[in-house]
Amino acid sequence: MSDKQNDACDVNSNLESFLDLKRRVEITKDARFQANLRLERRNKYSYFIIAVLSLFVIIISLVPNIFEFPPAGSQALLSLSIINSVFIIITTFLEASGNFVHRGEQLHRSARKISKVFNKIILLTPEEKLNKQKINELQEEYQSALDDCPFNHENIDYDLIKATKPSLFKGRIYDGDCNWVVIRWRRLKYKTKEFMWTFPHIVVFLGTILSLWWIIFENGLGQVSLRMR
C-alpha cells in the first residue's frame, strides 16, 4: 500500500473517530439533561400525590362528623383511611430512598460538563477534526466528565433521544417512510414508562372517590343520614 493510501486511511479513520465521539457526546449530554428533567417531575408528582392522599385522609376523618353511618360504613371509612395512609408512607419512603433531587442535580452537573466538551468539539477547525491527538484529548475529557458523576441516565432517557433526535441513529433505528409513527410510538412509550409508578396511586385515588360516593350517596353499606345539630 502506498504512502498516499496510508494517509487517506488515516484521515478516514480520524474523521470516523471524530464523528463517533461527537455523536456519543451529544447523545449522552441530551440524555442526562432529560434524566434531570424526568427526576424533577418524579419529585414534584411524588409530593403532589402525598398531598392529595393526605387530603383524602383528612376528608375521611371529617366525614363522620357530617354523616351518621351504620357500623359497616364506619369500618369501610376506617379501611379507606388506612389504605391512603399506607400509600402516603410508601410514597414518602420511595421519595426518600430514591433521592431523586440529588440524582437529578448530579446528572445535570454532569450534563453541563459534557456540554462543554460538546461545544469544544463543534468549534474544532477542519484540521483539528482530523488530528488524532486532539480527538484523544477530548475523548479523555469526555470520559472524565462521565466518571465524575456517580449516577447514570436510564434506558428510557436514551430511548427519548432516539425519538427526538433520530438523525443521531442513522442505520441504527428504522428511518423509512413511516418513521413518524415510530417516533410517536417511542414518545408514548417513554411517557408510559415514566409515569407507570403512579398507576397504584391512581387506582387508590379513584377507588377512594368511588367508595365514598357509594357509601355516602348510594347507601351501599346501609342507611346514611345527616347528623342533626
Side-chain angles (χ1 to χ4, degrees), residues 208-227:
T208 300
I209 292 178
L210 293 175
S211 297
L212 286 174
W213 180 270
W214 183 65
I215 294 170
I216 297 173
F217 299 105
E218 300 294 333
N219 293 319
L221 294 174
Q223 188 66 34
V224 178
S225 60
L226 284 170
R227 289 187 177 276

Side-chain angles (χ1 to χ4, degrees), residues 46-169:
S46 292
Y47 283 118
F48 176 76
I49 287 173
I50 291 172
V52 171
L53 295 179
S54 299
L55 180 62
F56 275 1
V57 172
I58 295 172
I59 291 173
I60 293 171
S61 66
L62 293 176
V63 166
N65 295 323
I66 303 173
F67 298 95
E68 187 170 355
F69 294 92
S74 298
Q75 289 298 318
L77 290 179
L78 178 61
S79 299
L80 288 175
S81 180
I82 292 174
I83 291 172
N84 280 271
S85 298
V86 167
F87 271 83
I88 291 172
I89 295 172
I90 292 174
T91 307
T92 304
F93 175 76
L94 292 176
E95 176 66 25
S97 62
N99 207 7
F100 302 119
V101 174
H102 177 66
R103 286 169 56 192
E105 289 175 350
Q106 291 289 331
L107 287 168
H108 184 261
R109 189 176 296 112
S110 175
R112 291 181 61 183
K113 291 181 179 179
I114 295 172
S115 183
K116 291 180 180 178
V117 178
F118 181 72
N119 291 336
K120 291 180 180 180
I121 289 175
I122 62 176
L123 292 175
L124 290 178
T125 63
E127 292 77 16
E128 289 175 326
K129 292 178 182 179
L130 302 177
N131 189 311
K132 186 175 182 179
Q133 182 178 353
K134 187 67 176 178
I135 295 172
N136 288 338
E137 290 175 358
L138 291 171
Q139 171 65 44
E140 292 176 0
E141 190 173 347
Y142 167 60
Q143 188 61 48
S144 176
L146 290 178
D147 295 339
D148 284 343
C149 183
F151 308 105
N152 192 17
H153 55 270
E154 297 183 12
N155 288 335
I156 62 172
D157 304 309
Y158 181 76
D159 291 338
L160 182 63
I161 306 306
K162 288 183 179 180
T164 55
K165 290 189 174 182
S167 60
L168 295 175
F169 300 89

Side-chain angles (χ1 to χ4, degrees), residues 15 34 42 72 92 101 123 131 156 159 166 177 182 204 229:
L15 181 59
Q34 289 295 338
R42 172 69 185 259
T92 304
V101 174
L123 292 175
N131 189 311
I156 62 172
D159 291 338
D177 295 336
V182 178
V204 171
R229 292 186 177 181

